[in-house]
Amino acid sequence: MTVQTTDVLVIGSGFGGAIPAYYLAAGGARVTVLERGPRAAAADFTHSMRLGTYNKIVDVIQGDGVSVVAGNCVGGGSVVYFAASLRAPSFVFERHGSLGRRLWPAALTRAALDPWYDRVEEALPVTRTDWPDVSYAGGVLAAACRRAGHTCNPVPVAVDTSACTNCNWMLSGCRFDAKRSLLLNYLPAAEAHGADIRPLHEVQTVTPSPLSGHRYAVGYTVLDPDDYSCTSEAGVIHARVVVLAAGAVGTPVILQRSALLLGGIPAAVGRYFSGNGDRVSVADIVEDKARSLLGLSRPDGSAYQGLPVGRPITAATYDHLDPTAPEYSRFTLQQIYFPPLTNLLAQAAGSPAWFGVEKRNMRARWRSWLTLLAMTEDDNEGTFGVVPLTGGFTRLAPGLGQGTMTYRPTSRTRRAWDRADTALRDILEKDGLSRVRPWSEDVADTVTAHPLGSARIGDDPATSALTDGHELRGHSGLFVTDGAAVPTSLTVNPSLTIAALAERAVATIVTRAADTGVALRRDVPLPGR
Amino acid sequence: MTGPDRRAILKALVATLAGLSADGLDSPVADAADASESWTTQTLEAFADTLIPGARRFPGDVVVAGAVTGPGAVQAGAVGLLASPELPVAPLLPAIAALLDARAVAYAALRLIWLPPTRPPFVGLSFSDRTALVGGLFDPDDLDRPIWQVMSLLVGLAFDTAGQQDTVEALGQGHPGLAWLRFPEPDPDGLWRFPDFSYGRPLADLHPNTTASGSPA
């Protein structure tokens, strides 16, 4: 068998992988991208909730105390996410968490990251939206905010709003190519420069390479497209530089499995996992009150009944992002839509709350639900345990896995959630507009679509696995550029920050590649330019 | 059922679902599947009906408790979904039903509730007792909690998403769960579009520290 080699091996094709893949390929390196999931495009994305459709490209991974929703396809999270594209507020970079000192690298502030945010916003591109872009659901949040004395903003999105049909099937991938996923910018641009993207290639280990001039040997298995728990073949690729971007659930597990052969890994790998402080609630809106209190009405005569209509995220209030407020008290409250596969988690007013007669009655009012996401300051209290035999988790069924992460919310995280809950009630329960309750923790514990921090950047080797250049401490040429690298929860949706950090990390990766003899152009333009 | 048996089932559930052990269940369980298929179905239907209750299907229906009028998880095809080929749980259903029935026996014994011998024990419980028992399955310290979490998610998928069917087809056939939610209808080509989706007017003041791209400062 021929020995496979490449200059730069990228593991994962989401924001963390696609961005370095483009710059390195465009700079002249041989780039190979290994992606665990399948490759799909607009025509493959179905408007269907049949099992075997969406769950081919998105996974729910149940850990102990937390469930994570994660992309599983070429383009990673960008294919299945809701495209809310927000910069993290300045105070986030100054967070101390429970350590009592600054958690982000000294070199990183909001001002330092702004030029990289600029680039990503231009490359995707991100659209600044206005009130005509805000869905009925976002409108209810906005009107309720105003009535409660708060501001509310339309949320910028990586969506071509002129092509968007407001179908609300974003979790299934965009059928209309309106969502500006990585399939439409960085990834095709990387391929145009010769990058080799291999779907259904699940990386298992990263070990030292015996080949001259190559630092790492990356072991992978090829997954059966009809049953990801079956492996059809295995292989090894030798690389000069490795960029690990398998997602905050996948990345630490690959490093843990490789630890012995790598001669040890930083103690911070697989620790400090954060769910971005995500907290989902459902407000059961009283239609008459939406009309009488908020003055809302639709052309069909109803006041709201708009849960399934429009893009999933359209409005948010920034009023609880006061930089002078203490930690664990700041958060964004954002309107969001999830397909009814999450209906089980909503809680009715009666007992039992999440199942039984009252809950069934609440389902009859489903179109009047308003789903809300609070992104708060959590405590990075998650850890990863015993490594599974293969992959990042044990696959139970299509789209469902058992992960190795444990998350026990600390009192500080609970306090942050309580504050967000109170703020939501103040806005949405005022004068009986609705009844607000957080999702039940009985069925899936805490649920997050924003896993972060499991191999984070920082200045302190004891609490950060990576240097501020995203290099794994003690392992030259091995980089982590995905959500795992983000040191703390962000109080906003993380994709834009993950992307901006990946843009920023490219310079260090290029330097390291040059050290190994790969001659690279450095003045690479934005993709498609 | 003793503790070790429970643990064996949980292990088999995880191992078999993960495809690590194609024959994870030993033959006694497989034999039991043939003998007690209808008890398995009845127990699982009663479990699904406890989560999302529906009307009795016929006079004298004891499996569906009839706590409400209209459709519930059973009418929405929950047991059909559990047994569908897309999900590898089907071979485990007899063991899972037996686990629930064992819990029902223990529940009844502690409370001196008489269980009719002609029905699965869980079916023999009243709706309120089924509800209390099921609530207890989700105690964070319960060894079997992961089993009931997965089972509940699947029952929910049957009712809330018609997960066993294409959504357009399910709506066309009047799927009881989607109808209950009043899930919107697609365009004639089977795709959803909402030309009317916005109130279209300013509904709040913007935050004063909003950046040019619409982000918080």
Side-chain angles (χ1 to χ4, degrees):
Chain A
M1 188 175 144
T2 323
V3 175
Q4 301 183 85
T5 63
T6 192
D7 292 334
V8 180
L9 193 289
V10 179
I11 302 167
S13 61
F15 285 103
I19 291 172
Y22 164 66
Y23 285 104
L24 273 295
R30 287 186 305 144
V31 173
T32 304
V33 181
L34 301 183
E35 164 56 50
R36 176 187 69 182
R39 182 159 198 155
D44 305 312
F45 300 137
T46 56
H47 283 188
S48 182
M49 297 182 284
R50 185 192 174 108
L51 291 168
T53 56
Y54 64 92
N55 57 329
K56 287 285 214 186
I57 57 170
V58 63
D59 285 321
V60 175
I61 306 150
Q62 285 200 320
D64 179 2
V66 64
S67 296
V68 175
V69 183
N72 180 45
C73 55
V74 173
S78 80
V79 174
V80 298
Y81 81 149
F82 296 165
S85 300
L86 294 164
R87 300 185 187 205
S90 301
F91 70 78
V92 161
F93 300 85
E94 311 304 321
R95 285 193 60 193
H96 287 203
S98 54
L99 289 181
R101 56 188 153 71
R102 204 167 173 277
L103 290 170
W104 287 69
L108 260 170
T109 60
R110 165 67 181 269
L113 201 56
D114 271 335
W116 307 107
Y117 277 129
D118 289 342
R119 289 181 68 88
V120 179
E121 286 174 350
E122 192 180 341
L124 291 176
V126 173
T127 305
R128 178 166 183 176
T129 58
D130 201 350
W131 292 105
D133 302 303
V134 171
S135 70
Y136 292 123
V140 171
L141 175 63
C145 280
R146 180 164 66 184
R147 193 162 182 279
H150 287 287
T151 68
C152 191
N153 281 42
V155 172
V157 286
V159 173
D160 175 352
T161 51
S162 66
C164 178
T165 66
N166 287 281
C167 70
N168 227 346
W169 286 88
M170 278 176 109
L171 185 69
S172 300
C174 184
R175 175 75 176 213
F176 305 104
D177 267 347
K179 175 160 66 179
R180 302 296 303 174
S181 78
L182 296 164
L183 298 173
L184 302 179
N185 35 60
Y186 289 95
L187 287 174
E191 285 184 302
H193 287 283
D196 176 17
I197 300 175
R198 302 190 196 176
L200 296 166
H201 281 56
E202 183 174 76
V203 168
Q204 308 298 342
T205 52
V206 178
T207 58
S209 170
L211 277 193
S212 169
H214 294 77
R215 279 213 181 90
Y216 297 100
V218 175
Y220 63 86
T221 52
V222 182
L223 307 182
D224 181 326
D226 297 317
D227 182 352
Y228 302 151
S229 59
C230 292
T231 295
S232 55
E233 58 181 287
V236 175
I237 302 178
H238 300 266
R240 297 173 189 277
V241 169
V242 169
V243 177
L244 184 44
V249 172
T251 286
V253 179
I254 291 170
L255 290 174
Q256 287 174 318
R257 184 179 293 117
S258 309
L260 216 55
L261 289 162
L262 282 172
I265 55 172
V269 171
R271 296 186 61 193
Y272 309 114
F273 173 70
S274 161
N276 200 38
D278 282 9
R279 173 86 160 172
V280 180
S281 298
V282 173
D284 190 0
I285 301 285
V286 178
E287 288 286 331
D288 288 350
K289 299 274 187 179
R291 188 187 310 279
S292 63
L293 299 177
L294 305 181
L296 298 175
S297 67
R298 292 174 49 180
D300 68 3
S302 59
Y304 168 46
Q305 298 195 24
L307 177 72
V309 176
R311 275 193 303 278
I313 295 174
T314 64
T317 178
Y318 304 158
D319 275 5
H320 305 90
L321 297 174
D322 177 1
T324 64
E327 275 192 72
Y328 307 102
S329 72
R330 301 168 295 194
F331 46 84
T332 294
L333 299 177
Q334 189 174 74
Q335 164 264 329
I336 194 165
Y337 167 81
F338 296 101
L341 58 100
T342 61
N343 279 10
L344 193 71
L345 307 174
Q347 300 198 87
S351 176
W354 64 269
F355 70 95
V357 174
E358 279 308 311
K359 174 60 185 293
R360 175 180 172 277
N361 293 343
M362 182 180 163
R363 278 181 166 95
R365 299 189 298 274
W366 176 69
R367 288 173 75 141
S368 295
W369 295 7
L370 175 63
T371 318
L372 299 136
L373 172 62
M375 289 167 283
T376 70
E377 296 173 286
D378 79 348
D379 228 358
N380 290 81
E381 57 265 67
T383 57
F384 283 72
V386 178
V387 178
L389 283 178
T390 63
F393 53 86
T394 303
R395 195 168 279 285
L396 297 177
L400 185 64
Q402 189 169 55
T404 61
M405 58 285 188
T406 297
Y407 188 86
R408 300 259 179 268
T410 64
S411 58
R412 286 178 290 270
T413 296
R414 289 269 172 208
R415 198 162 68 231
W417 288 344
D418 287 346
R419 285 186 165 144
D421 292 352
T422 301
L424 263 184
R425 284 196 300 271
D426 288 347
I427 294 167
L428 287 163
E429 291 191 343
K430 192 173 165 64
D431 299 319
L433 173 63
S434 73
R435 178 76 189 244
V436 187
R437 300 204 65 183
W439 271 357
S440 168
E441 295 180 38
D442 277 358
V443 188
D445 298 302
T446 298
V447 181
T448 179
H450 302 141
L452 301 171
S454 49
R456 60 186 183 175
I457 52 173
D459 293 331
D460 175 9
T463 58
S464 59
L466 313 176
T467 66
D468 86 331
H470 290 251
E471 203 163 26
L472 187 71
R473 294 181 188 283
H475 299 278
S476 179
L478 176 48
F479 294 87
V480 174
T481 50
D482 56 16
V486 176
T488 64
S489 64
L490 298 171
T491 68
V492 294
N493 318 71
S495 62
L496 201 71
T497 301
I498 296 170
L501 288 172
E503 279 269 358
R504 175 182 170 271
V506 164
T508 319
I509 301 170
V510 165
T511 301
R512 196 63 80 215
D515 292 348
T516 66
V518 185
L520 287 168
R521 270 181 64 198
R522 286 174 185 261
D523 57 339
V524 176
L526 288 173
R529 302 302 193 280
Chain B
M1 188 172 286
T2 62
D5 289 338
R6 278 217 188 88
R7 280 192 290 278
I9 288 169
L10 182 55
K11 261 177 74 179
L13 176 78
V14 171
T16 305
L17 292 181
L20 301 176
S21 163
D23 51 358
L25 288 173
D26 54 16
S27 52
V29 178
D31 291 345
D34 297 335
S36 62
E37 189 186 2
S38 84
W39 272 42
T40 293
T41 302
Q42 287 179 41
T43 301
L44 295 174
E45 284 178 341
F47 173 72
D49 182 66
T50 306
L51 292 179
I52 309 174
R56 287 203 168 92
R57 295 161 294 181
F58 47 84
D61 189 355
V62 293
V63 175
V64 171
V68 295
T69 57
V74 172
Q75 288 84 349
V79 175
L81 180 137
L82 290 171
S84 73
E86 275 89 0
L87 296 166
V89 298
L92 295 161
L93 294 178
I96 293 169
L99 190 57
L100 186 59
D101 281 324
R103 300 290 289 251
V105 169
Y107 179 93
L110 279 172
R111 292 162 184 79
L112 302 175
I113 296 169
W114 182 79
L115 291 170
T118 53
R119 293 173 206 156
F122 185 74
V123 175
L125 292 175
S126 69
F127 183 74
S128 61
D129 283 324
R130 293 178 190 182
T131 300
L133 190 161
V134 166
L137 299 176
F138 294 88
D139 187 297
D141 298 327
D142 196 294
L143 194 64
D144 305 324
R145 185 173 179 240
I147 295 175
W148 307 118
Q149 288 179 324
V150 173
M151 292 291 285
S152 302
L153 285 168
L154 295 175
V155 168
L157 289 181
F159 186 88
D160 291 315
T161 74
Q164 60 276 49
Q165 270 183 294
D166 181 67
T167 306
V168 174
E169 181 187 300
L171 281 166
Q173 294 171 6
H175 180 270
L178 295 182
W180 187 254
L181 299 180
R182 293 190 301 127
F183 195 87
E185 295 287 334
D187 284 352
D189 64 354
L191 298 174
W192 276 256
R193 296 174 188 82
F194 293 109
D196 295 320
F197 64 92
S198 176
Y199 295 110
R201 58 189 167 92
L203 289 164
D205 293 332
L206 302 188
H207 194 278
N209 295 326
T210 302
T211 67
S213 67
S215 280

